[in-house]
Amino acid sequence: MKTLLIVAMTGIIAGCASTGGGGAPTGPERGIWLRTDGQSGRDNPVLAQQFETDKASCTDRGQVNQLCMTHRGYILVPQSQVEAKAAELRAAAAARAGGA
């Protein structure tokens, strides 16, 4: 019985550790970093280079520090939600710019 309890607790602890701390997407769905202004570096080499620089600065021992990336203006979004979230972020940025 003790062995079963230890195995069960180990599974629970491992499950908690795999959440990525702060709600990062885990499991089979990959997380994608988005700029909080919704702009894409896909067709903008300046933004693409800035992302690579920021990501390198926020990487330690092969792990990207989510808090560091957040402070640099990025959020981690599940891949299935990227387009909708990017549109939402662009709309919010446009509203802020229009109200300024």
Side-chain angles (χ1 to χ4, degrees), residues 10-73:
T10 302
I12 291 170
I13 291 169
C16 292
S18 70
T19 62
T26 60
E29 186 168 19
R30 218 174 106 218
I32 304 294
W33 290 106
L34 292 179
R35 290 173 49 99
T36 55
D37 61 7
Q39 293 186 63
S40 173
R42 191 175 305 149
D43 297 319
N44 186 328
V46 173
L47 294 181
Q49 180 58 47
Q50 183 63 51
F51 171 77
E52 291 302 325
T53 300
D54 290 339
K55 185 176 174 189
S57 296
C58 293
T59 300
D60 182 32
R61 294 184 215 142
Q63 293 286 88
V64 178
N65 182 310
Q66 189 170 352
L67 184 58
C68 177
M69 290 295 282
T70 299
H71 284 291
R72 292 177 183 262

Side-chain angles (χ1 to χ4, degrees), residues 6 14 48:
I6 291 170

